[in-house]
Every structure is written in structure tokens, then in C-alpha cells.
């Protein structure tokens, strides 16, 4: 996968040279130059390019891929790689390789006149979930959104086929993915039907979003989700039939105390699957909804007394096997997520995968074999590997062996897989293997600009024990540019700690170059800071007990683990100055950064907390998933207001927020500021008018570089630079 442009490398090298010079002269503070910070973050990915390919399968025995603009073919029987210069223009090659070559050539030289799918609804102040037009699998119809309504058009003529006509500001139609539960295409496989959902938010107060810049004091209310304790948005499902041009309202929706998510169509193109949760996630239902009878059939129900059934995120956990073989269901009821085989009526046949690790997505299936991704190296639980097992639950084995992150793209018959791999020390690379794990051919290796990478040290992995000594915690250390083990460096912990995702992606480039949230790490390294990340109990990927350890009390106890681990790590590395430690986080990471100044001010001297949820009663409803409803667990909310936190925080704080953040209402920040003022405590503040949860504005503006620049100056002011 190509990252960045080569033109950015020269600029990056200049910045790295300046970074090394800074490490030699630690008294110099970072410059105030927001454009330079943005250019630095933009240039980071350019140091590593290539190494990953998009495969196109010409039948079951030949693989095509593009490498530096040249088409190459791989024989899956011999492993021979053959360059095909001019293949995209050669009629004989097109006859030989058919649609696979046509599709590959289209990716190598895309039609720039072809417009991307049109954005039809901006999900501001959310990010990454804008709704776009979507074409049916048969290419005949187009689903779009028009104001609060959904509409369908004929692709050839552009004429409207049908639409909903009951949309309203508080009753809006949606389709496709949701921010929480992963889903497949809302179109049935044959393109004849489409599932849409109506969100009724009329009972919600909404999150106020104030435009202080373009229309001073203009207030809108974001009603996609509810605050804790409020009635939930009520989801209704409807099926739009392209043939009959009729809308069918169906059962299976949610209520003011349940969530309902579309998952996927069944193979019969008649029914679709819905997952429904209670608002505290202690009950989960799998429903099959019949688009013709409009009735919903309950297939399975799971309830738990402690914790949650499942945090609603991750890969699609439902796969139909075909030929009346039933379906696979992903569940962590044995302590780890595994695949279970069920009949179509929901009756369980058997547990298919086993082990002290969690499976992720299903990659491929033959009649009697499943191929799946999992953290199946239990000594390295955050690595991802391709595995296979028989549908009978036998002969389970790992097919990839190298440490690190793997993804797998199967051939049509699942007899071969293109494996993409990288680790913290190995750049991205691609190879093709057989279904038994044997190597067929090496396809591509990343190009690493050595000059640009010279200032970077490979990150260092570590393990340590949690505060109670019962859990092993895995983490990563990112060393400063121009690292000298004879010097002593200030330390910043980059924290997240949320219950639904890990803090780091453990790849060569993806761990720090994927988006601005992670690019802050190399920028802080460039300014002479050691950066440490870790995933302590309460985070996913290590099994149910690890994930749920702080359930009901979160975030109490989390910082104790972080502080204990950081002290263990620093004790073994004299170049980490443990008298000069700071902590920085966004969102839940900002929450925990604030709590670090309450729970461990003897260790953490300065904290940067960005868009932090600091008032548990003033957050979005998902806090109930971890603390329970206030009526059920009143003690879980005691002492967790912004006022309580402000009274207890010690040290130096940099507080950053955006006034249009709907993920964490800005009222959280305002309450914290008020509490700090009442307590007479000094703080630094960066407040962005009109920005969302990642400091972006409605018009596409980006304030993140400003935040990063301010953060670096703040930490240099209170922690200093490298010392001899």
C-alpha cells in the first residue's frame, strides 16, 4: 500500500536533521510553527512506501498484481513471477486474463473523470461516518439521502424509483454502517431489496452544538445518540423492494431502552439479520427478519449478570455457511471470542475454534475448512495471524509464523492467500502462500528511505506486571530522534485506555503514521521526548476477564496499573528520567490523563488532556455500558463529576477541547474549568470554536497540528529536554 508522496521526503529529512540538532541542544524549546508541524505529520508516511499489493485472481491458478506500475503474474502452481509489460494495452493479454487484468489496469490508471460516490449526508460532528450514495450489486439502482428521507434512483436514467416521505429533523432515515456494530451491504446480493433504518430521536434533548464563528450563538442539536440516562433513539427498519417499488415496514427494531443494528442479508435474499442489545449490554438477541411476512424471528438470546455480553464493535460476527449448513457466530462465552457453529434455527452444533486467544474476522471458507484471523500466538497476543480449522473443530493450526501483523486475501477457491505482513521492526511486505502455509512466492517489499528513517530508532516492545501483579501488560517505547543512551530524556505516556480499542497498532508504519492521532508520537520523539504506550486491564484483545476487570468502577484503578508499569519500565532504563514524566491523551485518553493527576501526581508532573470525558453523568450513553445505569449502580458514579476531579487534580494541566464536539460534549470541559477556577488551580487552555472530536471543522479545516504544537511546548516548559 503506497503511503504519501516522495516529494515530502526531502522536507521530512530537513525536519529530522533539525530534530537531531535539538537533541544535541536540549535547552531549545520546540518552535511555534503550526505549518511546520502539519508538514512534519504529512511527511511521516513518505519514509515507508510500498510493500503491499492488491491481488486480482485470474481463475484459481493465476494471480495478477501491480508493482511500480508494471503488471506481474504469479503461477500458483510453480510460484514463478512473470512481468507483463504493456499488458494493459495488449489485447491478447486481456483475452488471456479477462476481467482480472481489466480490473487491475483500472487501479493502475484510474479514470480520473469518474466521480467518487457522492456524500449525501455529513455526519458532523462525528468523523469518518459520512453517508455516501451506494449502488446496488446489479448496478441498476442507486440509494441516496435527500434531507431526512431516503430515495432510490434508476442508475441509467436518473429517475427516482421511490422514496420515504416521512422523514423529519428528529426522524431521519439512515442506511449502511453504524458507528458501533459492523454491518455488511444493505443491498441484498441480487440487488432487489434494500434495508434502511429510521432513527426516531424525538424524545432526546440532543447535544448542543454552538456555532460561535459563522453564525454567532446559533445552536443546533446533534441527536444521533443520547446522553447517559436519556431515552435511546428508537430504530425502525424498512425494506424497499426495487421490483415492486414498495416499502415494507418490518419488525425487529429497537426501543427507548434497546439498540438494534442491521448485520447482513441471509443467502436467500429474503431475510436479513439484526442484533439487538439492552441499553446496558447485558442482553443480546439475534433476529432474522422476513422481508415478505415482515415478521422477526428470535434465533438466539444471551444474557449475562456481570459485565456486558459484547461491546458492540469489531468484525462482523455472523457468517452463513451455505448449502443449509447453518451459520457461524462469534462469542466470548468461554472467556475469549471464538466461532460457534449453529443450525439456521439457532440450535448450537459445536464450538469450532478454541484457545486462550480471540478470533477476529473470517477470511474464507471451503466446504469443510475455515480460515480466520486471530491473536493465536499467546506469547504475543496483539499479533494477528492467519489460521485454519475444520468445520468439525479439528486440526486447528496457525499458518503464519513471523511476529507481527498479518492480513490475508484469499483466492476464489481459498487454496492460496496473499499475506500482507509488518511488525514494529519489519517494513510492510507481501507474499503468497498455500492453504497449508507453504510459501509460493514473495511479491513485494516496502521501500524505506534510509535518510528519512535515520533519526528513528525501531520501537522497543516490553512487558511488565499490573499493579496487583496478576496481569501481564504489553507496551511499546518510542525513543527520541538521535537517541543517546548516555543521556536522560523526559518521558511522556501516550494513553487511551478505553474499553473498546487498544492504544496502539503494532506495525512498522501503521503504529505511528496512520493518522494524526498517532503521528503525534514521532513529533514528540523529534522534540526529544521518550514516548511510552501500553494496554492495561480494561482494554480488548486479551479475553473477557482482562477487558472487564474495571467494569462497574471505571476509571478507578486504571492509573494504578499505568503508573506501576511505567515505574517498572523506567527502573530498567536509566535514560528514562522518571522525575520528569508527563501524560497525554485524547477522548478516554484525556479522561485518564486527568485522573493521572489525581491518582499518581507523584509520578506524572504534567498532563495534556484533549476532548476529555471528565464528568461521568454528562457523557454519552455508552458510559452506561461500563458503569451500568445510574439507577442500577449509583455508587459507580459517586465522585466522578468534573467538580470532584478538579478538586483532586495536582500538577500542570493543558486542557484542549472543541465547542462542536458531540462525542464528548464541551460541557464536560466547561465544568472542569469551573471546578479548577473554584479550587484556585492554574491551567492552560486551548479551545477551538466549531471543531469536533478530532479538532476538525465543518468546512474541513484541521486544528490538530495547532494542538500538537501547543502540547510539545507545554511539555517542554514543564519537563524540559534531554540532559547529560
Amino acid at each position: 500500500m503506497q503511503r504519501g508522496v516522495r516529494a515530502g521526503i526531502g522536507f521530512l529529512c530537513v525536519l529530522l536533521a533539525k530534530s537531531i540538532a535539538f537533541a544535541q541542544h536540549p535547552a531549545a524549546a520546540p518552535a511555534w510553527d503550526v505549518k511546520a508541524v502539519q508538514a512534519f505529520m504529512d511527511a511521516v508516511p513518505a519514509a515507508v512506501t510500498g510493500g503491499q499489493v492488491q491481488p486480482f485472481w485470474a481463475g484459481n491458478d493465476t494471480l495478477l498484481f501491480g508493482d511500480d506500475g508494471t503488471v506481474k503474474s504469479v503461477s500458483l502452481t510453480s510460484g514463478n513471477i512473470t512481468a507483463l509489460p504493456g499488458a494493459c494495452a495488449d489485447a491478447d493479454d486481456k483475452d488471456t486474463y479477462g476481467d482480472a487484468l481489466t480490473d487491475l489496469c483500472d487501479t493502475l490508471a484510474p479514470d480520473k473523470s469518474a466521480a467518487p460516490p457522492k456524500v449525501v449526508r455529513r455526519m458532523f460532528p462525528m468523523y469518518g461516518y459520512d453517508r455516501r450514495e451506494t449502488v446496488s450489486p446489479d448496478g441498476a439502482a442507486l440509494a441516496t439521502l435527500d434531507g431526512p428521507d431516503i430515495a432510490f434512483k434508476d442508475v441509467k436514467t436518473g429517475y427516482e424509483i421511490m422514496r420515504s416521505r416521512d422523514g423529519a429533523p428528529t426522524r431521519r432515515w439512515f442506511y449502511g454502517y453504524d458507528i458501533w456494530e459492523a454491518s455488511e451491504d444493505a443491498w441484498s446480493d441480487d440487488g432487489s431489496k434494500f434495508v434502511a433504518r429510521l432513527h426516531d430521536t424525538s424524545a432526546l434533548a440532543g447535544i448542543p452544538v454552538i456555532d460561535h464563528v459563522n453564525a454567532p450563538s446559533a445552536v443546533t442539536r446533534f441527536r444521533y445518540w443520547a446522553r447517559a440516562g436519556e431515552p435511546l433513539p428508537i430504530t425502525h427498519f424498512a425494506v424497499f423492494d426495487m421490483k415492486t417499488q414498495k416499502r415494507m415496514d418490518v419488525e425487529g427494531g429497537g426501543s427507548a431502552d434497546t439498540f438494534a443494528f442491521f448485520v447482513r442479508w441471509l443467502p436467500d435474499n429474503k431475510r436479513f439479520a439484526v442484533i439487538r442489545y439492552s441499553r446496558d449490554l447485558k442482553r443480546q438477541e439475534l433476529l432474522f427478519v422476513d422481508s415478505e411476512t415482515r415478521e422477526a424471528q428470535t434465533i438466539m438470546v444471551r444474557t449475562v449478570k456481570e459485565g456486558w455480553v459484547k461491546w458492540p464493535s469489531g468484525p462482523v460476527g455472523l457468517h452463513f455457511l451455505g448449502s443449509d449448513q447453518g451459520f457461524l457466530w462469534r462469542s466470548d462465552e468461554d472467556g475469549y471470542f471464538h466461532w460457534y457453529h449453529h443450525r439456521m434455527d439457532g440450535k448450537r452444533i459445536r464450538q469450532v475454534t478454541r484457545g486462550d486467544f480471540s478470533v477476529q474476522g473470517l477470511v474464507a471458507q471451503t466446504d469443510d475448512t475455515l480460515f480466520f484471523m486471530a491473536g493465536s500466538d499467546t506469547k504475543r497476543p496483539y499479533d494477528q495471524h492467519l489460521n485454519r480449522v475444520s468445520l468439525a473443530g479439528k486440526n486447528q493450526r496457525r499458518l503464519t509464523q513471523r511476529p507481527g501483523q498479518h492480513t490475508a486475501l484469499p483466492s476464489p477457491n481459498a487454496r492460496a492467500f496473499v499475506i500482507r505482513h509488518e511488525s514494529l521492526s519489519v517494513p510492510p511486505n507481501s507474499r503468497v502462500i498455500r492453504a497449508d502455509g507453504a510459501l509460493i512466492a514473495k511479491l513485494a517489499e516496502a521501500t524505506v528511505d534510509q535518510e528519512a528513517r535515520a533519526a528513528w530508532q525501531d520501537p522497543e516492545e516490553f512487558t511488565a506486571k499490573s499493579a496487583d501483579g496478576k496481569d501481564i501488560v504489553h507496551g511499546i517505547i518510542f525513543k527520541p530522534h538521535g537517541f543517546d543512551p548516555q543521556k536522560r530524556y523526559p518521558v511522556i505516556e501516550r494513553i487511551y485506555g478505553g474499553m473498546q480499542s487498544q492504544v496502539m497498532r503494532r506495525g512498522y508504519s501503521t503504529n505511528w503514521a496512520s493518522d494524526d492521532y498517532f503521528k503525534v508520537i514521532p513529533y514528540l520523539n523529534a522534540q526529544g521526548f521518550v514516548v511510552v504506550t501500553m494496554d492495561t486491564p480494561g482494554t480488548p484483545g486479551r479475553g473477557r476477564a482482562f477487558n472487564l476487570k474495571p467494569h462497574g468502577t471505571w476509571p478507578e484503578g486504571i492509573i494504578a496499573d499505568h503508573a506501576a508499569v511505567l515505574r517498572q519500565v523506567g527502573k530498567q532504563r536509566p535514560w528514562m528520567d522518571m522525575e520528569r514524566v508527563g501524560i497525554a491523551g485524547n477522548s478516554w485518553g484525556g479522561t485518564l490523563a486527568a485522573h493521572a493527576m489525581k491518582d499518581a501526581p507523584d509520578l506524572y508532573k504534567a498532563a495534556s488532556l484533549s476532548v476529555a470525558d471528565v464528568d461521568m453523568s454528562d457523557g454519552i450513553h455508552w458510559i452506561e455500558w461500563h458503569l451500568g445505569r445510574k439507577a442500577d449502580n449509583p455508587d459507580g458514579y459517586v465522585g466522578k463529576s468534573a467538580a470532584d476531579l478538579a478538586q483532586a487534580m495536582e500538577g500542570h494541566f493543558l486542557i484542549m477541547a472543541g465547542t462542536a464536539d458531540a462525542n464528548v460534549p464541551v460541557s464536560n470541559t466547561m465544568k472542569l474549568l469551573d471546578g479548577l477556577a473554584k479550587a484556585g488551580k492554574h491551567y492552560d487552555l486551548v479551545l477551538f470554536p466549531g471543531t469536533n472530536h478530532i479538532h476538525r471543522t465543518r468546512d474541513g479545516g484541521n486544528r490538530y497540528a495547532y494542538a500538537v504544537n501547543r502540547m510539545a511546548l507545554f511539555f517542554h516548559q514543564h519537563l524540559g529536554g534531554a540532559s547529560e
Side-chain angles (χ1 to χ4, degrees):
M1 178 171 58
Q2 296 292 328
R3 288 185 175 273
V5 293
R6 303 296 294 177
I9 293 178
F11 186 82
L12 178 60
C13 294
V14 172
L15 289 174
L16 295 182
K18 291 181 178 178
S19 303
I20 295 172
F22 169 76
Q24 297 167 348
H25 303 284
W32 179 253
D33 191 338
V34 175
K35 290 184 178 179
V37 175
Q38 186 63 62
F40 180 98
M41 294 193 295
D42 290 343
V44 165
V48 184
T49 57
Q52 302 191 26
V53 303
Q54 174 64 51
F56 294 86
W57 305 96
N60 289 318
D61 299 318
T62 303
L63 165 70
L64 300 178
F65 69 99
D67 187 20
D68 291 331
T70 301
V71 175
K72 295 183 178 180
S73 69
V74 183
S75 168
L76 300 183
T77 54
S78 68
N80 293 332
I81 300 178
T82 304
L84 303 173
C88 291
D90 192 309
D92 290 339
D93 284 334
K94 290 184 177 180
D95 289 340
T96 301
Y97 299 110
D99 291 342
L101 180 58
T102 300
D103 293 341
L104 172 55
C105 293
D106 287 344
T107 65
L108 295 177
D111 181 3
K112 295 183 180 179
S113 66
K118 178 183 175 183
V119 174
V120 290
R121 181 176 295 157
R122 293 288 181 186
M123 287 298 291
F124 186 89
M126 291 167 57
Y127 54 94
Y129 291 89
D130 288 341
R131 267 45 177 186
R132 296 177 181 270
E133 293 179 330
T134 174
V135 179
S136 61
D138 60 5
L142 176 78
T144 187
L145 295 170
D146 185 2
D149 283 297
I150 187 170
F152 300 88
K153 297 179 180 180
D154 183 284
V155 169
K156 292 182 179 180
T157 66
Y159 293 146
E160 186 175 287
I161 300 171
M162 58 181 157
R163 68 158 51 221
S164 65
R165 299 188 182 278
D166 54 350
T170 59
R171 288 173 54 85
R172 295 199 298 168
W173 285 90
F174 291 86
Y175 55 74
Y177 45 79
D178 191 272
I179 189 173
W180 292 116
E181 193 70 25
S183 65
E184 295 295 325
D185 199 340
W187 287 102
S188 60
D189 288 342
D190 62 2
S192 66
K193 298 182 180 70
F194 189 92
V195 177
R197 54 192 172 92
L198 178 67
H199 260 214
D200 184 346
T201 61
S202 55
L204 278 64
I207 311 301
V209 177
I210 305 174
D211 189 341
H212 295 278
V213 178
N214 300 304
S217 301
V219 180
T220 58
R221 291 189 175 273
F222 185 72
R223 289 185 169 91
Y224 189 72
W225 43 51
R227 287 183 188 262
E230 284 187 341
L232 300 176
I234 300 175
T235 298
H236 303 279
F237 291 109
V239 175
F240 291 83
D241 191 308
M242 299 300 111
K243 294 179 181 178
T244 64
Q245 297 185 21
K246 291 182 178 180
R247 162 184 160 181
M248 296 163 288
D249 294 311
V250 299
E251 297 178 353
S255 69
D257 280 307
T258 61
F259 305 89
F261 301 103
F262 163 78
V263 181
R264 67 190 319 155
W265 281 90
L266 273 65
D268 60 15
N269 288 308
K270 174 186 172 185
R271 294 172 291 169
F272 62 91
V274 166
I275 295 178
R276 190 159 60 194
Y277 297 94
S278 61
R279 72 177 297 146
D280 58 6
L281 299 187
K282 293 186 181 300
R283 177 183 173 89
Q284 178 193 54
E285 301 170 87
L286 174 64
L287 309 172
F288 289 170
V289 182
D290 192 308
S291 64
E292 296 178 2
T293 67
R294 309 188 184 191
E295 296 177 347
Q297 178 186 7
T298 301
I299 302 299
M300 293 192 305
V301 177
R302 182 186 172 201
T303 60
V304 295
K305 292 183 178 180
E306 303 295 332
W308 55 65
V309 176
K310 172 185 175 291
W311 187 278
S313 63
V316 174
L318 172 66
H319 291 274
F320 295 101
L321 296 170
S323 302
D324 297 322
Q325 288 182 293
F327 62 87
L328 295 173
W329 179 250
R330 183 174 173 266
S331 174
D332 71 345
E333 58 200 80
D334 82 339
Y336 295 87
F337 279 107
H338 283 291
W339 290 109
Y340 293 82
H341 188 188
H342 293 260
R343 296 188 332 195
M344 289 301 289
D345 63 4
K347 184 176 181 180
R348 178 167 296 174
I349 297 173
R350 66 177 60 87
Q351 182 175 346
V352 180
T353 62
R354 297 180 183 275
D356 292 341
F357 58 84
S358 287
V359 302
Q360 297 299 322
L362 190 66
V363 175
Q365 170 223 338
T366 63
D367 288 340
D368 60 355
T369 304
L370 305 177
F371 297 89
F372 60 94
M373 302 306 296
S376 47
D377 181 349
T378 55
K379 293 182 179 180
R380 297 180 55 85
Y382 297 103
D383 288 356
Q384 284 296 306
H385 290 278
L386 177 64
N387 302 261
R388 66 179 292 168
V389 67
S390 74
L391 190 57
K394 299 179 180 179
N395 302 318
Q396 180 175 299
R397 56 172 296 208
R398 176 156 55 101
L399 299 179
T400 52
Q401 305 301 325
R402 293 183 295 172
Q405 308 304 311
H406 298 81
T407 60
L409 297 170
S411 65
N413 59 5
R415 293 182 180 176
F417 296 83
V418 170
I419 301 296
R420 297 172 176 174
H421 166 260
E422 62 179 304
S423 71
L424 285 170
S425 58
V426 178
N429 58 91
S430 295
R431 57 186 59 200
V432 59
I433 66 172
R434 302 190 197 284
D436 61 1
L439 177 67
I440 296 176
K442 296 180 180 179
L443 305 181
E445 302 282 342
T447 298
V448 180
D449 186 277
Q450 296 302 324
E451 185 178 3
R453 281 285 296 177
W456 267 290
Q457 304 285 317
D458 281 341
E460 179 183 341
E461 296 180 86
F462 68 83
T463 59
K465 291 186 177 181
S466 59
D468 61 10
K470 296 180 179 179
D471 294 292
I472 299 297
V473 174
H474 293 249
I476 308 170
I477 300 172
F478 299 86
K479 299 174 184 176
H481 297 182
F483 173 71
D484 181 350
Q486 302 305 312
K487 294 183 177 180
R488 289 174 63 77
Y489 295 92
V491 178
I492 298 173
E493 182 184 352
R494 183 66 165 162
I495 192 170
Y496 183 67
M499 57 292 285
Q500 82 280 13
S501 64
Q502 299 156 12
V503 67
M504 288 305 300
R505 303 164 189 174
R506 292 165 167 81
Y508 190 82
S509 57
T510 55
N511 60 344
W512 46 259
S514 53
D515 56 44
D516 285 351
Y517 182 87
F518 297 100
K519 291 175 189 175
V520 67
I521 292 175
Y523 183 76
L524 291 174
N525 289 154
Q527 308 310 318
F529 296 103
V530 172
V531 179
V532 180
T533 67
M534 68 185 80
D535 288 296
T536 62
T539 56
R542 298 280 301 280
R544 184 174 177 81
F546 192 90
N547 198 183
L548 289 173
K549 191 172 181 178
H551 186 270
T553 61
W554 198 91
E556 300 303 327
I558 302 294
I559 291 301
D561 285 332
H562 284 259
V565 169
L566 201 52
R567 287 189 172 104
Q568 293 171 61
V569 171
K571 186 176 182 180
Q572 300 167 0
R573 296 163 179 82
W575 39 268
M576 291 175 61
D577 190 340
M578 298 305 291
E579 296 301 315
R580 296 186 293 153
V581 178
I583 187 167
N586 289 44
S587 196
W588 286 134
T591 305
L592 291 174
H595 278 259
M597 308 310 287
K598 170 178 75 75
D599 298 339
D602 56 329
L603 175 64
Y604 300 103
K605 303 301 190 297
S608 170
L609 41 142
S610 176
V611 292
D613 195 337
V614 291
D615 196 302
M616 297 299 103
S617 295
D618 187 26
I620 307 304
H621 57 69
W622 53 73
I623 189 59
E624 297 178 6
W625 301 348
H626 217 42
L627 291 181
R629 296 186 301 177
K630 207 168 187 179
D632 299 331
N633 182 26
D635 292 343
Y637 291 82
V638 172
K640 293 178 183 176
S641 70
D644 296 322
L645 189 57
Q647 286 290 331
M649 290 169 64
E650 301 293 340
H652 304 285
F653 334 119
L654 170 63
I655 301 168
M656 295 189 281
T659 63
D661 187 355
N663 294 55
V664 176
V666 72
S667 53
N668 272 254
T669 298
M670 296 305 177
K671 291 178 180 179
L672 182 63
L673 299 183
D674 184 55
L676 291 171
K678 287 180 179 177
K681 297 182 179 181
H682 177 271
Y683 61 83
D684 291 284
L685 174 67
V686 175
L687 189 65
F688 295 114
T691 63
N692 63 11
H693 199 54
I694 54 173
H695 302 314
R696 284 185 167 84
T697 62
R698 183 185 295 272
D699 60 6
N702 185 356
R703 307 289 184 265
Y704 204 84
Y706 188 106
V708 171
N709 206 167
R710 185 67 187 85
M711 184 195 312
L713 284 167
F714 168 79
F715 281 125
H716 189 277
Q717 177 186 357
H718 296 292
L719 303 179
S723 60
E724 300 295 337

